[in-house]
Amino acid sequence: MTSDFFMPFQHDLLDLRDLFNFSNLSSFTHNIPVKWVESALRLSESATIRRRRLPSDQVLWLVLGMAIFREEPVHEVARRLNICTKSLASDSLLARSGISHARQRLGSEPVEWLFRETGGHWRHERYPEDEWNGLQVFAMDGALFRTHDTPELREHFGSGNTSTKRQTPFPMLRLVALMNVRSHIIVDAQVSPYRRGEIPLAETFINHIPSRFITLLDKGFWSANLLSLIHQGDDRHWLIPEKKGLIQKVIDTYDEGDELVEMKVSPQARKQHPYLGETWQARRVTYKTKTGHKTILTSLPATEYNAEAIALLYKERWEIELGFRDIKSSMQGNAITLRSKKVDLVYQELWGLLLSYNVIRREAAMAAIQFDRSPSDIRFKAVCDYIAVQLIVMAASNPLSGTGRRLSELRSGIGSLFLERRSRPTTPRTVKISKTRYPAPLK
């Protein structure tokens, strides 16, 4: 990123020097990388601004706390975490207006940058059983979040239409995320107003994906351009269900239910992306399920990867759905909307939510490694609740401790929160009833 990108918010990162105790890095650098903090410090070395009563480290900690204590008002989150001014006693909490102004000064860009910096570092990490045939396994999918219904938010984020062509009850913003399905850490993401589609959002961060990986996608990401972008690189592959009504020509047959097929690229796609040819090829694998047959297409070559193993691998795509469930249910308590009512604060809240989710997931993954278990064996809801309690205890004992120092103290006890894996029953997907702002009529 260029220096121009950081200029609007580099001053807000001035107080991040207290984020970690650099005199004793050995206790947590193995668990929480500090490269993103050091970069922020280098950007702010020459900054000279008026010191605010509420340091940016405390504001950042507040944003993370908002994600964990979703059912509490923001001022109550500040009270629970003992957010206070640096120049006053620990019991001198700021007024509600001061907290709101501090969030607005911080804005969304520093929180987004911190999420991307940590994700960029953590995407290269390896965990037990992290790889499949030498490849990291990622999944890509989208999710929607609702905001309060105000003219400002509806104009910026937009909304969908119902079957009667009425607008949906709440403005919505769209998230597209790339998740490591073994650790459930979100390594990259894009957020935008609802009107922008999932495929254009996904195309913006494809180049950030490392080599030697495979991405599992839902059929909604079917795009010759997107799949070709994923395949460009050192041993990068994709796996996606067959699109309904797809016209294909069999080029070669490897085995029963395992073929090489050729498909045409639409004139619209070639016009938008001239480098695409008139046709493209993929491997088609068909396998039996409890309800019939399923067909998936992939870029994995038949000479190196077994069709049966590919069929089993695609079942792991569901792990990203579980990750979204953890965010919306365990962290957000199935809240209908995000809590913020300003456009920039909505983005700040969502990036803070993703960053908090990743911190919880990574702390769980590190605890799992210590017990020689898989990161997915840790119960997310239990870890989230455990961390929430520990945050309150630590805040009471040392309200001005830095963010990194607090996080480094959370490891103890997480190792007792393992779950036993059980096979999930296969059930058909159903359309959920749209949430409404109006209560159901009494019968």
Side-chain angles (χ1 to χ4, degrees), residues 173-430:
L173 63 161
R174 191 184 300 278
L175 164 72
V176 173
L178 184 70
M179 177 183 291
N180 183 322
V181 302
R182 303 295 171 87
S183 68
H184 283 206
I185 291 176
I186 298 176
V187 299
D188 214 334
Q190 279 289 357
V191 177
S192 81
Y194 173 79
R195 65 182 66 90
R196 193 173 183 189
E198 291 180 337
I199 293 177
L201 287 176
E203 291 175 349
T204 62
F205 59 78
I206 290 300
N207 291 333
H208 300 162
I209 298 176
S211 60
R212 298 198 58 77
F213 90 105
I214 181 169
T215 299
L216 315 179
L217 303 106
D218 184 75
K219 63 178 62 178
F221 288 88
W222 185 269
S223 163
N225 182 61
L226 175 64
L227 298 179
S228 66
L229 289 176
I230 293 177
H231 195 37
Q232 291 175 2
D234 183 16
D235 214 3
R236 304 196 321 186
H237 298 281
W238 50 265
L239 189 58
I240 191 171
E242 183 182 43
K243 184 180 179 181
K244 187 176 181 181
L246 184 66
I247 300 176
Q248 311 166 60
K249 178 183 177 182
V250 178
I251 302 299
D252 195 3
T253 299
Y254 306 120
D255 201 348
E256 183 179 358
D258 190 3
E259 303 165 318
L260 178 67
V261 297
E262 184 177 80
M263 300 154 287
K264 291 185 177 181
V265 179
S266 68
Q268 296 85 354
R270 294 203 308 273
K271 181 177 180 181
Q272 189 174 2
H273 308 287
Y275 54 84
L276 293 176
E278 294 186 359
T279 62
W280 61 299
Q281 297 180 352
R283 182 182 176 190
R284 183 176 66 186
V285 175
T286 302
Y287 58 96
K288 292 183 179 180
T289 64
K290 292 181 180 180
T291 58
H293 290 80
K294 187 177 182 66
T295 300
I296 52 179
L297 282 83
T298 181
S299 62
L300 293 169
T303 54
E304 299 180 39
Y305 301 94
N306 179 272
E308 183 178 352
I310 292 174
L312 290 174
L313 174 65
Y314 188 73
K315 295 181 179 180
E316 296 192 41
R317 195 207 68 83
W318 189 252
E319 297 299 322
I320 192 171
E321 304 282 2
L322 298 181
F324 289 152
R325 181 203 63 182
D326 291 335
I327 293 174
K328 291 188 173 184
S329 178
S330 299
M331 298 185 71
Q332 292 288 282
N334 292 317
I336 295 179
T337 68
L338 298 172
R339 66 169 82 209
S340 302
K341 297 182 179 180
K342 297 291 184 180
V343 171
D344 195 43
L345 297 187
V346 168
Y347 286 113
Q348 181 195 79
E349 180 182 349
L350 186 52
W351 287 117
L353 180 61
L354 297 178
L355 182 58
S356 298
Y357 167 83
N358 269 358
V359 167
I360 295 172
R361 273 297 180 191
R362 191 167 186 278
E363 288 299 305
M366 294 296 101
I369 290 175
Q370 292 182 3
F371 287 86
D372 196 24
R373 298 286 295 271
S374 170
S376 58
D377 288 341
I378 293 278
R379 292 178 292 163
F380 180 85
K381 182 65 168 67
V383 175
C384 189
D385 292 343
Y386 171 82
I387 287 179
V389 172
Q390 294 303 312
L391 293 184
I392 297 175
V393 173
M394 287 188 294
S397 62
N398 189 0
L400 291 178
S401 61
T403 303
R405 193 174 301 113
R406 296 185 185 190
L407 294 177
S408 66
E409 298 172 7
L410 295 176
R411 186 65 43 73
S412 177
I414 295 180
S416 63
L417 304 176
F418 289 104
L419 55 83
E420 296 301 326
R421 287 275 178 173
R422 292 177 295 179
S423 59
R424 300 189 190 94
T426 301
T427 56
R429 300 186 69 174
T430 58

Side-chain angles (χ1 to χ4, degrees), residues 90-136:
S90 61
D91 59 348
S92 300
L93 299 178
L94 289 180
R96 299 184 186 183
S97 60
I99 294 175
S100 177
H101 292 157
R103 282 190 63 203
Q104 293 178 30
R105 287 197 305 271
L106 182 68
S108 63
E109 289 179 325
V111 187
E112 177 184 354
W113 182 79
L114 293 175
F115 166 80
R116 296 192 184 284
E117 192 72 6
T118 53
H121 182 90
W122 293 341
R123 70 162 59 98
H124 298 289
E125 292 182 332
R126 298 294 188 271
Y127 301 93
E129 301 178 2
D130 187 39
E131 294 185 348
W132 176 86
N133 288 338
L135 302 176
Q136 273 193 291

Side-chain angles (χ1 to χ4, degrees), residues 160-175:
N161 295 324
T162 66
S163 57
T164 58
K165 297 184 180 180
R166 292 184 296 107
Q167 287 186 318
T168 50
F170 299 97
M172 295 187 292
L173 63 161
R174 191 184 300 278
L175 164 72

